[in-house]
Amino acid sequence: MHKLKLLLLLPLLASCGVIPLPETAVPDFDFLYAVNNLKPAEVLYMAENQLDRLEIPRLPYQDITFGALLVSRSAAPLVRLQVFASASRPPCPVVSSGVPGYGNTLRCTGPAGGQALAEVTLRPHERTPVVLQGEQLNQSFRTGRLYLGIRVLEGAPRATDRVDVVQIRARGRL
């Protein structure tokens, strides 16, 4: 009888946002800065959906936290970035990386519907933690579509420089 009562309470508890989800590991990835002569307002988004590799059920997720370590593979002594997320593919021109093994990026004149979620300063080969949170991230996990982007605020990375995104963990609630 107690199990039946608990089962009847689950939908109510879920609507209150009190059911924590188990931490999910997300596969590591890296991205190229991909474009020379970036203007300060431009945002580069990855052209591929970052959640395609995960089988995430469409549920009313809340309070998603996406934590990772960023490692700059750049000769620039310091690169300060703003990290963006969009729950839909930004309608921006596609730019080829021109580097074998890397896909295209989307070069946008501004956020293009994405939301700035964090600012981080990277030094070559140092692991720098970043935590992303926000409504765009919640919406991304609900729909299964996440397009990450960057805006270079300071520093001068080359187009062939990259950022490794490792030890990624996603958490949230229902």
Side-chain angles (χ1 to χ4, degrees):
M1 184 65 173
H2 291 292
K3 287 182 182 178
L4 179 60
K5 287 180 183 177
L6 183 60
L7 286 174
L8 293 173
L9 284 175
L10 277 177
L12 179 62
L13 290 173
S15 69
C16 296
V18 296
I19 299 176
L21 299 172
E23 183 175 272
T24 302
V26 178
D28 296 346
F29 63 91
D30 62 345
F31 61 89
L32 294 172
Y33 290 102
V35 178
N36 283 318
N37 303 316
L38 279 175
K39 294 176 180 62
E42 290 181 322
V43 178
L44 291 179
Y45 285 95
M46 298 179 80
E48 296 82 30
N49 175 4
Q50 293 305 294
L51 296 181
D52 268 349
R53 297 176 278 174
L54 301 177
E55 293 181 16
I56 298 176
R58 305 300 190 266
L59 296 171
Y61 296 109
Q62 299 177 39
D63 301 328
I64 294 293
T65 301
F66 190 87
L69 294 175
L70 303 181
V71 183
S72 178
R73 303 297 183 193
S74 172
L78 175 133
V79 177
R80 191 165 56 98
L81 301 175
Q82 211 171 17
V83 181
F84 286 77
S86 179
S88 60
R89 191 171 196 253
C92 303
V94 175
V95 177
S96 172
S97 70
V99 177
Y102 286 91
N104 298 325
T105 59
L106 305 170
R107 185 175 185 165
C108 303
T109 56
Q115 177 184 16
L117 300 181
E119 191 174 303
V120 63
T121 300
L122 304 176
R123 289 175 176 73
H125 309 290
E126 287 184 15
R127 292 173 170 243
T128 304
V130 65
V131 176
L132 305 180
Q133 290 179 294
E135 186 50 40
Q136 281 286 336
L137 201 57
N138 293 339
Q139 188 177 349
S140 290
F141 274 74
R142 288 180 202 130
T143 63
R145 291 185 308 271
L146 173 63
Y147 296 88
L148 293 174
I150 59 165
R151 174 185 286 158
V152 178
L153 300 174
E154 185 178 345
R158 297 173 310 213
T160 56
D161 291 348
R162 71 178 200 273
V163 174
D164 296 338
V165 184
V166 299
Q167 296 181 8
I168 307 163
R169 300 284 184 259
R171 295 178 202 88
R173 304 185 290 150
L174 285 179

